Amino acid sequence: MTNALQRGLILLEQGRYDLAEREFRGAIIEAPDEPGPHAMLALCLKQRDLFQEALHEADEAIRLEPGWDFGHYVRGRVLLGMRRLKEAEASLHAAIQLDPNHIPSFGLLAQVYYASNRWQKALEAADHGLSLDAENALCANVRAMALIQLGRKQEAAETLGSALEDDPENALTQANQGWTCLHRGDHVQALVHFREALRLEPNLEWAREGIVEALKARHLIYRLMLRFFLWTGRQSSAARWGLILGIIFGRRLLAEIGRARPELQFLITPILCLLFAFITLTWIASPLFNFFLMFNRFGRLALSREQKTEASWIGISFLFAFFCLLSFFVYPLAYNLAGMIYFGLLLFPLSVTFGRSNPTHQRLLGVYTGVLALLGLPFLSLGFLGSFSPWRNGEKAGEYLVYFFFGAILSSWVPALLGLRSSRD
């Protein structure tokens, strides 16, 4: 092992990735045919989110020594970071085939299965890793996360409890214990674990996301929505689609009953309003409560810059829509109705615009939302023009509203139509 490689390993362990990269590149110059420096440089570049360069270095390490299990393991780590899950799984299977006792490969394979929503496979891989090392923190954590998704919360809590006894200073274990508490509905205890995780590792994103959710869960409405989100997250894709279709057809059935039985409208109308409010909340609840969290001193620190930007747009649009709604009840004028519809519908495209890891995807969705907002301006303007008399240009306003309405409702399908991932990538 060269001096440059030794220095690079120390710097990598300290999290000083820019300096470590320099040392690893120096080690490659000193020993260009050694796979080790390439593999370690790949890990370093991966930590800096330079994934394409990292993948190139991992491939170079494998080219130099195809039978080295660690090279395939590193490639799997890089591909997992790139969300190329099938390729990551193949690399990790190659690493395990070369060394069936390489525990980190089983832990990482469990993470790949977990990321692809294959909870049972994640549990099996984690259990295999723990059979080789009962105290392996990564395998224990992924095991607990898989158990939560399988609905076996008590077993998850026991797994994490044992892991915390073995290593109470493990930030990931503390964070996962926090998520276990959230799944149990205990947001108060979840905050304790998330705070401890961030104390141990201030840059742990999993803990930061958890503390944001726990802070929002102090509000009853969001607490109920969070329990719904966590529950649906544990369901299969088919079950989630069944739920969506059930809601759509259930709404239609209620509307048909209301038309056929007018005497039941006093019951059906409130149910339809509540259903519409629930559907809307599934779109905007998280960023909307992030907006309210911005007025909390600790909440502002927990939110990322991206979350603050999204929350600001969603929150401002929501407040305008809500203000126009209240004003319409007091002064039922056209501009109040137009403002309520415009800002209310704008919430839907705004809710899919942010949170994309790919800047190009985010720009495309931002352009779509901007064009849609401009398309709705004529409708909003006609509302103001007709505000002090019966609404003039009603036909033209209706035409603009149709375009704006369908553009807003179809915004949830825009990522798929543009070839992007439908979920936040």
Side-chain angles (χ1 to χ4, degrees), residues 294 304-314 354:
M294 288 171 63
S304 68
R305 181 179 178 183
E306 180 74 17
Q307 285 175 317
K308 290 177 183 176
T309 303
E310 179 185 29
S312 297
W313 282 100
I314 292 284
F354 298 92

Side-chain angles (χ1 to χ4, degrees), residues 321-394:
F322 187 68
F323 175 77
C324 290
L325 173 63
L326 293 180
S327 300
F328 184 75
F329 283 119
V330 180
Y331 302 106
L333 301 172
Y335 71 87
N336 286 328
L337 180 64
M340 178 185 67
I341 294 173
Y342 177 80
F343 290 107
L345 287 175
L346 202 57
L347 290 169
F348 294 99
L350 284 172
S351 68
V352 301
T353 299
F354 298 92
R356 307 281 165 178
S357 58
N358 188 313
T360 304
H361 295 181
Q362 185 141 319
R363 280 195 294 271
L364 285 171
L365 292 167
V367 168
Y368 177 86
T369 302
V371 169
L372 192 61
L374 291 173
L375 189 63
L377 282 178
F379 164 73
L380 185 64
S381 301
L382 288 172
F384 274 89
L385 289 172
S387 60
F388 298 108
S389 62
W391 199 336
R392 295 188 294 270
N393 299 313

Side-chain angles (χ1 to χ4, degrees), residues 135-412:
E135 296 182 0
N136 184 270
L138 176 59
C139 288
N141 275 282
V142 180
R143 182 179 194 273
M145 292 159 63
L147 285 168
I148 289 171
Q149 297 298 338
L150 290 168
R152 296 156 63 179
K153 299 175 189 176
Q154 185 58 39
E155 291 179 67
E158 291 170 3
T159 298
L160 290 172
S162 299
L164 282 175
E165 284 181 12
D166 295 334
D167 184 8
E169 298 294 300
N170 188 296
L172 181 60
T173 307
Q174 290 284 357
N176 279 324
Q177 188 71 292
W179 280 103
T180 303
C181 292
L182 275 184
H183 277 267
R184 290 203 311 260
D186 187 355
H187 65 281
V188 176
Q189 190 60 34
L191 274 173
V192 174
H193 289 289
F194 288 135
R195 284 191 174 115
E196 180 63 12
L198 289 173
R199 183 189 69 80
L200 295 168
E201 192 174 327
N203 295 322
L204 184 60
E205 184 65 16
W206 186 234
R208 189 199 63 76
E209 290 176 8
I211 207 167
V212 168
E213 296 302 308
L215 286 169
K216 290 187 292 188
R218 293 181 301 178
H219 303 281
L220 176 61
I221 293 176
Y222 190 78
R223 188 154 64 246
L224 295 173
M225 294 303 302
L226 179 61
R227 296 187 73 168
F228 174 76
F229 293 149
L230 294 174
W231 176 79
T232 54
R234 296 194 296 267
Q235 308 308 308
S236 65
S237 177
R240 286 196 293 269
W241 272 108
L243 178 65
I244 292 169
L245 293 174
I247 291 173
I248 292 171
F249 288 111
R251 186 198 65 79
R252 287 185 178 178
L253 179 61
L254 283 172
E256 288 294 329
I257 293 172
R259 281 191 287 269
R261 301 284 299 275
E263 68 274 13
L264 296 178
Q265 280 289 4
F266 77 100
L267 287 175
I268 293 174
T269 300
I271 294 174
L272 289 174
C273 290
L274 286 173
L275 190 59
F276 177 76
F278 171 75
I279 294 170
T280 304
L281 277 175
T282 61
W283 285 52
I284 68 167
S286 186
L288 179 61
F289 279 87
N290 282 347
F291 176 73
F292 297 135
L293 204 57
M294 288 171 63
F295 299 96
N296 176 284
R297 182 175 59 86
F298 189 70
R300 283 196 302 274
L301 297 175
L303 290 170
S304 68
R305 181 179 178 183
E306 180 74 17
Q307 285 175 317
K308 290 177 183 176
T309 303
E310 179 185 29
S312 297
W313 282 100
I314 292 284
I316 291 170
S317 187
F318 175 82
L319 288 178
F320 272 115
F322 187 68
F323 175 77
C324 290
L325 173 63
L326 293 180
S327 300
F328 184 75
F329 283 119
V330 180
Y331 302 106
L333 301 172
Y335 71 87
N336 286 328
L337 180 64
M340 178 185 67
I341 294 173
Y342 177 80
F343 290 107
L345 287 175
L346 202 57
L347 290 169
F348 294 99
L350 284 172
S351 68
V352 301
T353 299
F354 298 92
R356 307 281 165 178
S357 58
N358 188 313
T360 304
H361 295 181
Q362 185 141 319
R363 280 195 294 271
L364 285 171
L365 292 167
V367 168
Y368 177 86
T369 302
V371 169
L372 192 61
L374 291 173
L375 189 63
L377 282 178
F379 164 73
L380 185 64
S381 301
L382 288 172
F384 274 89
L385 289 172
S387 60
F388 298 108
S389 62
W391 199 336
R392 295 188 294 270
N393 299 313
E395 243 181 66
K396 191 174 290 186
E399 184 181 332
Y400 286 125
L401 175 58
V402 167
Y403 297 141
F404 183 58
F405 176 81
F406 281 106
I409 298 303
L410 290 174
S411 60
S412 62

